[in-house]
Amino acid sequence: MASPAALNALLDKTSDWDKDERYMATNDLIQELQKDAQLDAAMERRVCAAVLRQLDDKSTDVQSIAVKCLGVLLKKVREAQVGEISDKLCSLILDGTDELRDVYSIGLKTLLRDVPRASGEAVAGRLAARLVGGVRDDAKAESRVEALENLTDLLKRFGAAVAKDHGAVLDAALQRLDDPKNVVRKRAAHCLAALALTCSEPHLEKLTTTLLRRVDAAGGGGAPPQASGP
């Protein structure tokens, strides 16, 4: 197990001017985290801050290794740090630069896939409402796509844990079935399919009824109706 001094040295190198040094430092950090490394609260915060900072790195190789490091880090840190990571990634997806949004999204997908279930349910509760907000954002099609993709992943693994948000998810995803972007409409359909696996009977009935009405309207040549009320 690496000493605190060795870990601090690696963390210092993650800010090196040379991108190769930054890459190798993060790669070495992954190797140390995969061992039986026990991090105290202060070291957890420092490691998380360093890896999150690399998601903005100018080098795509460094960005990629940072995402890989996140997947390992999530299994080592306390729930509070996992929550901070999820909040940061979600903010970057919704409000960050367009050029790096796909990198941020991969990071959040990694979190939703790898986070231990014990802390994952609490994280899902923090994320659901914010991702729904991203789905409703009319200004950024790219944000809608990534929000829907991550919301779908969240529902597949933690759908039952966010039951209080099912109604908002249903309304937002149904609204996006009429989105001008075809890719958004497809992601909305995938999200609704994931929601159907765990939602309550009233929500499932609303979803089914609305979709059947849309099918009928499409067959009759009319405009698809808006989502019905609860």
Side-chain angles (χ1 to χ4, degrees), residues 35-229:
K35 300 176 184 177
D36 292 331
Q38 298 298 319
L39 307 178
D40 61 27
M43 183 61 74
E44 280 187 8
R45 289 193 294 271
R46 188 158 185 229
V47 172
C48 288
V51 176
L52 287 173
R53 185 175 62 248
Q54 288 187 320
L55 295 178
D56 292 319
D57 199 279
K58 295 179 180 179
S59 166
T60 56
D61 289 336
V62 174
Q63 293 170 5
S64 297
I65 198 72
V67 170
K68 181 179 179 181
C69 189
L70 276 180
V72 178
L73 188 59
L74 292 169
K75 301 172 184 177
K76 291 287 185 179
V77 299
R78 296 169 177 81
E79 183 176 311
Q81 294 299 323
V82 176
E84 289 184 15
I85 293 172
S86 68
D87 288 344
K88 175 67 172 179
L89 288 171
C90 191
S91 294
L92 289 170
I93 288 171
L94 300 180
D95 303 313
T97 61
D98 293 341
E99 294 79 6
L100 294 175
R101 184 169 285 112
D102 58 337
V103 175
Y104 306 143
S105 185
I106 290 170
L108 189 56
K109 290 174 184 175
T110 300
L111 184 151
L112 290 169
R113 183 191 66 217
D114 294 339
V115 65
R117 182 165 291 277
S119 55
E121 292 186 356
V123 169
R126 297 171 69 139
L127 287 173
R130 297 189 66 196
L131 289 172
V132 168
V135 174
R136 289 174 170 160
D137 186 352
D138 290 327
K140 302 175 183 177
E142 296 81 3
S143 293
R144 297 198 296 275
V145 170
E146 300 301 345
L148 281 163
E149 285 191 357
N150 280 281
L151 194 52
T152 300
D153 288 348
L154 185 155
L155 289 168
K156 286 179 178 177
R157 190 170 178 208
F158 300 110
V162 293
K164 66 181 178 61
D165 297 295
H166 284 179
V169 173
L170 177 58
D171 291 341
L174 284 173
Q175 176 190 357
R176 288 304 164 198
L177 292 178
D178 294 319
D179 196 276
K181 297 286 187 179
N182 183 53
V183 64
V184 176
R185 298 196 297 272
K186 287 183 177 179
R187 297 299 185 276
H190 294 163
C191 185
L192 290 169
L195 177 64
L197 296 175
T198 55
C199 69
S200 66
E201 186 173 339
H203 286 139
L204 184 60
E205 182 179 355
K206 177 179 177 179
L207 171 59
T208 304
T209 301
T210 302
L211 293 179
L212 288 174
R213 288 177 179 173
R214 292 176 65 89
V215 171
D216 290 341
Q226 297 299 311
S228 59

